[in-house]
Amino acid sequence: MDMKDFSLEGKVAWVTGASYGIGFAIASAFAAAGAKIVFNDIKQELVDKGIAAYKEEGIEAAGYVCDVTNEEQVQATTQAILDKFGKIDILVNNAGIIKRIPMLEMKASEFRQVIDVDLNAPFIVSKAVIPSMIKNGHGKIINICSMMSELGRETVSAYAAAKGGLKMLTRNIASEYGEYNIQCNGIGPGYIETPQTAPLRVPGNPFNEFILAKTPAHRWGKTSDLQGPAVFLASDASNFVNGHILYVDGGILAYIGKQPQ
């Protein structure tokens, strides 16, 4: 085994929605492994904040304003990246939203918005990037799925539908383009410590206690827990891994829960 297979030296990685949070952590890990980092966000303000955050970490990242649900913008951004860097070796479809609304109270327009960002956008961006990967003879696509790719829960009907669809889109991209040396896999994060989950993680909060009880690791995940799996799936070490969803959840999906006392 050659440990150089885990290196991303000389690779160009585009991580969508990576101004902060999980996307930022994954892009930072790619940079540490040697990749050049490209990211986008929906507003210039977020792109500027992202560039500043990467700079603080000693990472030179190229940021673009791009709405990943807009096919024309995605095609233009893809071309801009190719013009500047000459290739896109790695794509991480990270941008996503969630709306926690009971199904009977959710408007169809709200459902469509979640599907558009969490499922349609990965299709649009992958479609834009795959032709250059075919031309170059290799490529890695990583879709950020979720435990909701496998499970349902109250108030997340749109999110679960989108992430379930993303799991199958992942498998279908692998099926269609594996012969071109393109590997498409997914990462399914468990409950991760981010600014968005901070209110839920307050000690004594029933939801916090619920998550700790359902997780064999008995803790929330950290964004750093996703870095190793992401680098593996982006590297040559995973060249025969295709159509797989790697759940990084502390064991939740393997665990039925404690027997009541």
Side-chain angles (χ1 to χ4, degrees), residues 64-234:
Y64 295 84
V65 177
C66 176
D67 177 354
V68 288
T69 68
N70 185 308
E71 193 163 11
E72 290 183 359
Q73 288 187 30
V74 168
Q75 289 286 351
T77 301
T78 301
Q79 191 59 54
I81 296 169
L82 292 173
D83 289 344
K84 181 171 183 176
F85 294 98
K87 59 179 182 173
I88 299 171
D89 299 293
I90 303 157
L91 168 66
V92 181
N93 285 307
N94 166 75
I97 61 171
I98 187 170
K99 291 182 180 290
R100 295 182 177 89
I101 305 171
M103 181 174 170
L104 295 184
E105 298 173 19
M106 186 174 230
K107 298 175 183 176
S109 59
E110 293 171 323
F111 187 93
R112 290 190 189 101
Q113 184 185 9
V114 175
I115 297 294
D116 205 21
V117 176
D118 293 356
L119 180 56
N120 290 343
F123 164 78
I124 290 169
V125 184
S126 298
K127 179 183 173 186
V129 168
I130 285 172
S132 67
M133 290 181 170
I134 292 174
K135 182 179 179 181
N136 291 334
H138 66 87
K140 301 281 186 174
I141 299 174
I142 302 172
N143 292 324
I144 302 304
C145 296
S146 166
M147 288 186 301
M148 298 301 109
S149 297
E150 300 288 344
L151 301 173
R153 193 169 67 76
E154 298 85 351
T155 77
V156 293
S157 58
Y159 186 78
K163 293 299 186 178
L166 186 58
K167 174 183 70 175
M168 294 312 301
L169 177 62
T170 300
R171 292 174 175 174
N172 211 78
I173 291 173
S175 300
E176 284 200 62
Y177 300 104
E179 66 178 293
Y180 299 102
N181 194 27
I182 294 171
Q183 292 83 50
C184 182
N185 295 289
I187 292 177
Y191 287 89
I192 305 295
E193 292 181 0
T194 65
Q196 289 87 344
T197 62
L200 302 175
R201 291 183 277 109
V202 176
N205 184 313
F207 190 78
N208 182 63
E209 300 305 315
F210 167 69
I211 293 304
L212 294 179
K214 289 294 292 181
T215 307
H218 201 68
R219 68 174 175 86
W220 287 67
K222 301 179 184 299
T223 54
S224 59
D225 290 319
L226 302 168
Q227 292 180 315
V231 169
F232 166 65
L233 291 178

